[in-house]
Amino acid sequence: MYRIRFHGRGGQGMKTASRILGTACFLAGFEVQDAPRYGAERRGAPIFAYVRAGQAPIRERGIIRRPDLVVVADPTLVPIPAAGVLVGLDTHSLLLINSRETPQIWKGRLNCAGPVICFHPHSETRERSELPFVGTASAAAAARLLGFVELSHLEQAVQQELAGLDDPIVDKNLAIARRAHEQMAALEGRVREGEEASAHAYQIPDWIELPFEEARVSAPVIHAGLTSEAVPTGLWRTLRPVIDYDRCNRCWWVCSAFCPDGAIRVADGLPVIDYEHCKGCLVCMAQCPPHAIAALPEEEAAP
Amino acid sequence: MSKPDTRFRSVKDLPSSHLLGTGTPMCAGCGGLQALHEIYDILGGKTVFINAAGCMTLLSVYPFTPFRGSWLYTAMASAPAGAQGVRDALDILLERERIGTDEDLQVVVLTGDGAAYGMGLSSTSAAIDGGLDFLYIVYDNEGYGNTGQQYSPATPHAALTSTSRGVSGFAGYKKDLFAIWCAHRPAYAATVIGAEPLDLARKVEKAMSIKGPRLLLALAPCPTGWDFDPQETAEIGKLAVKTGVWPLKEYVDGQITHTKLPMRRVPVERYLEKQGRFRHLFRPERREDLLREIQDRVDAYWENP
Amino acid sequence: MTRQLITGNGAAAWGARLARADYVPAFPITPQTEIIETLAAWIERAEMPGRLVTLESEHSMLTAAGAAAATGVRVFTATSSQGLLYAMEMLYTVAGWRAPFVLVNVSRGLATPLTLEPDHNDVLAARDCGFLQIHCATCQEVLDNLLIAYRLAEDQRVRLPVIVNLDGFYLSFTREPVDLPEPEEVDAFLPPFEARDIAFRASMPESQAVAVLGGSPYSYFRYESHLAALNGLGVYETAGAAFGEHFGRAYAPLDCYRCEDAEICYLMIGSFATKARVAVDSLRAAGQAVGLVRPRLLRPFPGEPLRKALLGKRGVAVIDQNLSFGMGGVLHAELASALYGQPQAPVLTSFVAGLGGRDIAPEELFEIARIAREAADNGVAPPPRLLYTEDELRELRTLQTLARVERNELGEA
């Protein structure tokens, strides 16, 4: 059985990616199981999607603990523990990252045991509305790496899964899929099926007897305010708003008032963006009267 | 007021034979039952009554039923939802020609004030909002009668109930269910009372001529809950109207019309003094404050009816 | 017949459509929404004749479902967890109306704490109400058992509503290959609904669901519902076998996998049971005689089939994806009552796992089998185990720190 795990953010088409790949494998004659997995369905929040493909009906369920292929559509997820990008990777697992950096840099950065491959689907994607194309490209790249999916299966899968969309968008997705498929030509079939869990010798689970704890500890209660500030939602950003203070006219702080997250404070009469928490929605940019806020791609912005 | 387009021009036109069966366990003198049988006499037996928990749930206790037509007991909060299910199912059967139109039934919800004013508001609101074709009859005895007359959202100010036994009675005020229905823009809504059968008959007739969500809100003088001798039911009902405590009105096409305008309103006291639930307003001494307040409120209503 | 990748929710919607459900009272709740969205779209596009009406709550939704069934049309509805519980009064009520319909429950763990992921506390809360219960492990089973459920519910020996349960996320949002039968094939298996005497028509006055005062008559009505529910076992067996003749997939009240020569059996319901199937194969490969018994029918409780399958086995590991506070796993207690005092009854071990969708790792399943064997060898079962690991507790402690739970109250050094 092939086990593939996709990692991306809400809005990047990870569910579609898993469906395209799942359908493509199904059309190629495989038994398939695919599923998205969201925490909260929010734009920008990390989500996973799984695809299992095999010759026999698939009985396994739930999270993929030992992936054969991990596809990372958004590299900014890698440092986030909750995203679980690196969980279960071993020497045979292939890591496919959407990035213009080289595999060597990533291998060094992550210190991972198995091979790393980089792909870049749509080089000039700035428009957020085009982000779902990342999903299509990811699925197409993954399909080539699996090796048993024909291009025709992939194209049919794209058309099937995007059937509800307008023709020009479907065509664009097809073009992106073909391109990503082509990009991976030299690596066709590189994914290796992992071994099944063996009952001969297994890691004994470190079960504990959960101790009784009084309700003030064991009830689901948060005993303080503002604890959400520990969550770095700034990591959701793909575009960063930057204020040009020469143009800022210190209005009544429209940006600060309209920021949905309250991530812009006013200090000494000037707005200051809290980049730990700014999600990059860009309402501030859209509302700034003198147009003093510009958006930079996150990877280009100074840290 | 004689309306040319009604078959009920005078009390002589009211039905003299009764369609609703006798033998039910409602209290002797029940004002709600009085209103119900007047309504049923006109509504007829081609009906299915959907009931929510209340006094009248006991109309049908196995194996006895007073209805010529059908009945479904649901639960306290969801009789309108039950009506939705029955109406939709009948419509489906009619549409698919699995039954003929002669098999169709009027769907009627029958509940007390407990369900209508409180727990059932959620399902009622949805039913009106969804344009359900049904008639909703409320017998309002101003308290949770079946459980011993605890106060409900329909209980009037200062009334003694089993959960408001203090010297001043119930501290709250009666919710305006008629206004809540009207805010939903139903097909029809009307207040009625068994003691005014002609007014009631015309309203039933009017309601039957309209499709959509329709309300008949009947004040139901309750000998057991209000503490008076059963023979006074009709008299107390008439006083409710003559004092202006129970305005008789209807809503149709966005307009509210009073169908009886008491020219010289009788003082509210005449109505209150007949009921044990208001005895504390008179004995051991008169509670001028509460009597004044009640009268003022009634006066204020009629200043701008 | 076409074979497609369909989610569990999609399979449920197809089941309703192929069963020619006339009426769908609805109210949305995660993880069921895709079912009603799919049906709404089909009905709006006239691809499915039928009527879908959104009520304002699940309590109202179940009332409308029962009332429409009592009027005489085929009804489908669906809910989950909090919605099922909000409707609970009406589940008991409408079951007693003896008007059949099918309710799909997409299982989801109950508050508190609020969650979106699956376990079986919700559907098991309805085990006493009079609805029959069928539990599915795959998307194919969802479709197939919806059709069987209507035959079961509408059978004159039953005439009770039926819950068909599928697990949230693991089935509801997961696509698996599903054979979609042709409508004509389904019609041959499932004839139109005949309401007969429990209906509303002008020509026949019926006072339904009336009050009954007095313990003796009340008992009669309650006993009769119970007897009807018990009949469900035989009716399911027949319908499931007939389904096999029509479609090539037969269904029995129990799904027994590699049981005949097994010494130790897992007992589980629902989609996680397929993970146990994988574990059985791994353990067999390692030389152990392990099998899996998966009840599909939970109400009526398949006592006789379970006795047949399990008496003579050395041990049974009951894995409950539910927890009755202050008691333990529900399946464990019910199985124990079916086996108590019977000859050659196996040693039962109890495990609670998978609450709120908590994964069960292959190693955990292997260890469960080992403990079951050890208990069988010793003739004594250890206390029930609530599956939880050191790592999990460590992770929880970090969350507790963020939630400002006092350190010195965590009992740590």
Side-chain angles (χ1 to χ4, degrees):
Chain A
M1 185 195 312
Y2 292 90
R3 298 172 172 87
I4 304 103
R5 211 168 64 200
F6 288 90
H7 292 270
R9 295 186 182 279
Q12 289 174 336
M14 287 301 98
K15 177 176 167 182
T16 307
S18 67
R19 291 234 169 156
I20 291 173
L21 185 64
T23 297
C25 293
F26 186 65
L27 292 168
F30 275 63
E31 293 288 319
V32 169
Q33 185 201 83
D34 61 49
R37 190 170 178 78
Y38 349 86
E41 288 174 58
R42 300 278 181 269
R43 302 223 153 266
I47 74 165
F48 327 101
Y50 308 123
V51 179
R52 290 178 166 95
Q55 304 287 7
I58 306 202
R59 310 284 184 207
E60 207 178 85
R61 291 201 179 284
I63 62 178
I64 291 183
R65 296 162 173 273
R66 290 198 304 262
D68 303 319
L69 171 63
V70 172
V71 183
V72 184
D74 185 331
T76 66
L77 285 173
V78 175
I80 304 176
V85 171
L86 304 176
V87 170
L89 284 175
D90 61 23
T91 50
H92 94 287
S93 319
L94 207 66
L95 181 62
L96 176 69
I97 307 183
N98 169 15
S99 171
R100 269 173 282 143
E101 293 182 288
T102 66
Q104 289 70 28
I105 289 177
W106 278 103
K107 241 185 118 69
R109 188 178 286 152
L110 301 178
N111 193 27
C112 55
V116 179
I117 299 169
C118 292
F119 79 113
H120 24 276
H122 193 74
S123 44
E124 308 308 315
T125 304
R126 293 282 179 265
E127 290 300 313
R128 274 205 290 242
S129 57
E130 304 212 330
L131 282 179
F133 295 151
V134 171
T136 303
S138 305
R144 196 67 188 269
L145 289 170
L146 285 173
F148 55 80
V149 176
E150 308 277 345
L151 179 60
S152 59
H153 298 140
L154 179 63
E155 287 170 335
Q156 203 181 323
V158 171
Q159 279 170 323
Q160 223 169 284
E161 295 308 322
L162 302 181
L165 302 177
D166 294 334
D167 285 343
I169 299 187
V170 177
D171 290 339
K172 191 155 189 190
N173 273 278
L174 279 168
I176 287 166
R178 288 184 193 112
R179 188 159 161 241
H181 190 259
E182 187 48 44
Q183 257 188 13
M184 295 289 116
L187 301 163
E188 178 177 294
R190 271 295 182 89
V191 180
R192 299 265 159 274
E193 287 175 88
E195 281 166 14
E196 304 301 320
S198 163
H200 280 282
Y202 59 91
Q203 176 109 21
I204 298 190
D206 55 344
W207 286 339
I208 55 168
E209 305 294 333
L210 190 67
F212 165 76
E213 296 176 323
E214 289 182 14
R216 61 210 158 115
V217 168
S218 62
V221 177
I222 302 169
H223 299 282
L226 295 179
T227 56
S228 66
E229 297 194 338
V231 182
T233 50
L235 291 171
W236 293 20
R237 241 180 4 253
T238 52
L239 292 167
R240 173 188 289 226
V242 178
I243 300 173
D244 177 350
Y245 289 103
D246 292 332
R247 292 181 81 140
C248 170
N249 67 2
R250 303 171 185 239
C251 61
W252 57 281
W253 305 296
V254 165
C255 56
S256 176
F258 283 146
C259 174
D261 283 89
I264 303 180
R265 66 189 164 89
V266 178
D268 295 325
L270 285 171
V272 178
I273 296 175
D274 167 12
Y275 290 111
E276 268 278 294
H277 295 105
C278 163
K279 293 173 184 161
C281 72
L282 305 182
V283 168
C284 54
M285 181 182 85
Q287 289 296 313
C288 175
H291 306 292
I293 304 180
L296 295 183
E298 188 62 22
E299 60 261 28
E300 286 174 21
Chain B
M1 265 180 273
S2 163
K3 303 217 155 96
D5 52 357
T6 174
R7 71 179 199 269
F8 301 108
R9 285 173 220 263
S10 81
V11 289
K12 293 212 182 285
D13 298 320
L14 295 172
S16 54
S17 58
H18 300 304
L19 297 183
L20 193 66
T22 50
T24 69
M26 298 301 107
C27 301
C30 172
L33 188 61
Q34 182 187 69
L36 178 62
H37 86 69
E38 290 175 17
I39 295 169
Y40 195 71
D41 287 349
I42 300 164
L43 211 52
K46 273 187 113 181
T47 48
V48 50
F49 274 71
I50 319 287
N51 175 248
C55 288
M56 296 225 182
T57 299
L58 298 172
L59 282 176
S60 293
V61 178
Y62 195 86
F64 305 114
T65 179
F67 291 98
R68 286 173 195 255
S70 292
W71 162 274
L72 177 69
Y73 171 70
T74 57
M76 186 150 179
S78 58
Q84 180 82 55
V86 175
R87 182 70 264 155
D88 282 337
L90 287 169
D91 286 344
I92 289 168
L93 292 167
L94 289 164
E95 254 167 59
R96 312 267 182 93
E97 290 174 9
R98 290 197 224 150
I99 60 173
T101 51
D102 55 318
E103 288 283 35
D104 195 12
L105 294 163
Q106 294 180 78
V107 176
V108 182
V109 166
L110 175 69
T111 82
D113 54 279
Y117 282 71
M119 202 190 288
L121 269 179
S122 177
S123 59
T124 301
S125 179
I128 307 171
D129 189 46
L132 180 66
D133 180 25
F134 77 119
L135 179 67
Y136 193 147
I137 303 170
V138 183
Y139 56 94
D140 179 1
N141 76 337
E142 304 193 321
Y144 292 120
N146 202 31
T147 43
Q149 201 67 14
Q150 296 81 21
Y151 68 77
S152 82
T155 301
H157 190 58
L160 287 176
T161 67
S162 53
T163 43
S164 60
R165 288 196 230 252
V167 294
S168 299
F170 181 58
Y173 296 88
K174 189 179 179 73
K175 187 183 289 190
D176 189 348
L177 183 68
F178 187 81
I180 291 171
W181 264 77
C182 291
H184 284 72
R185 298 177 184 281
Y188 182 74
T191 55
V192 297
I193 191 162
E196 296 289 345
L198 190 58
D199 178 82
L200 180 150
R202 288 170 180 164
K203 286 166 173 168
V204 176
E205 182 190 49
K206 179 75 117 339
M208 287 172 71
S209 71
I210 300 172
K211 276 198 176 301
R214 294 153 284 145
L215 170 71
L216 289 175
L217 176 56
L219 184 68
C222 173
T224 313
W226 298 9
D227 193 6
F228 59 80
D229 189 274
Q231 66 179 289
E232 300 280 11
T233 290
E235 191 52 37
I236 286 172
K238 288 184 189 171
L239 280 169
V241 176
K242 287 191 214 168
T243 56
V245 164
W246 188 248
L248 290 176
K249 54 190 172 178
E250 62 184 358
Y251 166 102
V252 64
D253 286 336
Q255 299 275 58
I256 296 175
T257 316
H258 285 76
T259 53
K260 235 177 165 63
L261 282 163
M263 284 294 112
R264 234 183 48 234
R265 268 183 294 117
V266 170
V268 161
E269 272 190 50
R270 302 284 87 77
Y271 168 71
L272 300 173
E273 68 197 3
K274 278 189 163 296
Q275 303 168 52
R277 64 176 175 155
F278 291 116
R279 68 173 161 276
H280 58 301
L281 301 184
F282 302 99
R283 295 181 299 277
E285 64 236 351
R286 285 174 62 86
R287 288 293 302 273
E288 293 299 346
D289 58 331
L290 289 171
L291 290 167
R292 180 84 261 141
E293 188 187 358
I294 294 170
Q295 186 67 64
D296 283 349
R297 282 183 158 255
V298 173
D299 292 343
Y301 175 88
W302 288 103
E303 230 136 88
N304 204 5
Chain C
M1 171 143 32
T2 59
R3 194 159 192 259
Q4 298 178 26
L5 285 178
I6 303 182
T7 60
N9 279 351
W14 269 109
R17 176 167 165 174
L18 288 166
R20 301 193 186 277
D22 293 315
Y23 186 53
V24 182
F27 189 82
I29 183 168
T30 305
Q32 152 264 47
T33 48
E34 187 196 342
I35 301 176
I36 60 174
E37 289 167 6
T38 305
L39 291 169
W42 284 337
I43 291 172
E44 277 181 326
R45 297 196 298 254
E47 288 171 37
M48 173 180 170
R51 186 181 285 217
L52 185 144
V53 172
T54 300
L55 283 298
E56 94 301 342
S57 77
E58 288 91 345
H59 184 281
S60 289
M61 181 182 88
L62 259 301
T63 307
T71 306
V73 297
R74 186 171 277 165
V75 178
F76 172 85
T77 189
T79 189
S80 170
S81 67
Q82 311 304 134
L84 189 73
L85 261 60
Y86 193 31
M88 191 60 76
E89 178 196 21
M90 295 318 295
L91 288 175
Y92 279 76
T93 302
V94 304
W97 292 357
R98 305 302 302 276
F101 65 96
V102 175
L103 165 67
V104 162
N105 185 64
V106 187
S107 67
R108 171 182 142 185
L110 294 173
T112 293
L114 187 65
T115 187
L116 297 175
E117 297 186 67
D119 67 38
H120 299 142
N121 267 109
D122 59 353
V123 66
L124 290 176
R127 67 192 188 272
D128 298 336
C129 70
F131 273 68
L132 271 48
Q133 277 196 22
I134 300 173
H135 287 255
C136 304
T138 66
C139 296
Q140 183 74 68
E141 282 210 343
V142 171
L143 178 80
D144 294 349
N145 277 277
L146 259 174
L147 305 176
I148 293 172
Y150 278 106
R151 233 170 99 147
L152 174 64
E154 293 171 9
D155 192 292
Q156 285 299 346
R157 293 162 289 182
V158 177
R159 287 273 146 157
L160 288 167
V162 177
I163 292 176
V164 175
N165 192 76
L166 64 138
D167 289 328
F169 284 79
Y170 296 109
L171 284 187
S172 69
F173 301 148
T174 300
R175 295 197 310 176
E176 294 182 335
V178 173
D179 282 313
L180 265 188
E182 296 300 319
E184 308 78 57
E185 296 176 303
V186 177
D187 291 341
F189 170 78
L190 181 64
F193 174 40
E194 279 183 40
R196 298 214 213 160
D197 288 351
I198 297 185
F200 287 122
R201 307 277 183 275
S203 63
M204 47 177 229
E206 302 284 331
S207 286
Q208 298 197 39
V210 297
V212 174
L213 302 179
S216 281
Y218 176 82
S219 295
Y220 167 81
F221 293 108
R222 302 289 284 183
Y223 289 156
E224 284 294 327
S225 283
H226 174 61
L227 295 175
L230 293 177
N231 285 345
L233 182 62
V235 176
Y236 184 89
E237 281 169 342
T238 310
F243 196 89
E245 276 154 39
H246 282 261
F247 302 101
R249 295 180 296 279
Y251 287 93
L254 301 183
D255 172 24
C256 295
Y257 182 64
R258 303 183 86 165
C259 278
E260 294 74 36
D261 63 335
E263 295 178 348
I264 304 294
C265 281
Y266 294 110
L267 184 109
M268 285 179 85
I269 58 173
S271 64
F272 266 15
T274 65
K275 288 151 79 73
R277 253 180 98 112
V278 177
V280 164
D281 286 341
S282 301
L283 287 161
R284 285 273 179 180
Q288 295 185 41
V290 181
L292 165 70
V293 172
R294 178 176 69 86
R296 291 192 178 96
L297 201 61
L298 212 55
R299 281 299 184 269
F301 187 72
E304 200 39 55
L306 282 168
R307 279 186 284 276
K308 227 167 141 185
L310 296 174
L311 292 176
K313 299 285 181 269
R314 299 190 59 233
V316 179
V318 183
I319 303 177
D320 271 291
Q321 209 174 339
N322 65 79
L323 184 54
S324 173
F325 295 147
M327 172 68 185
V330 168
L331 295 180
H332 177 255
E334 298 206 338
L335 181 64
S337 83
L339 299 178
Y340 183 74
Q342 298 288 327
Q344 296 188 289
V347 175
L348 299 188
T349 43
S350 170
F351 301 87
V352 173
L355 300 186
R358 176 199 180 274
D359 193 32
I360 308 176
E363 309 81 68
E364 291 186 310
L365 288 166
F366 300 153
E367 187 64 5
I368 285 172
R370 189 197 67 72
I371 290 172
R373 156 165 294 99
E374 194 173 70
D377 290 340
N378 299 338
V380 171
R385 172 165 292 284
L386 311 174
L387 265 64
Y388 209 64
T389 66
E390 189 70 59
D391 275 347
E392 287 178 288
L393 188 60
R394 193 173 307 125
E395 272 178 47
L396 183 77
R397 294 298 188 218
T398 38
L399 298 179
Q400 285 179 314
T401 305
L402 288 168
R404 309 288 193 273
V405 174
E406 289 305 323
R407 267 258 156 230
N408 59 8
E409 287 173 352
L410 289 176
E412 289 182 320

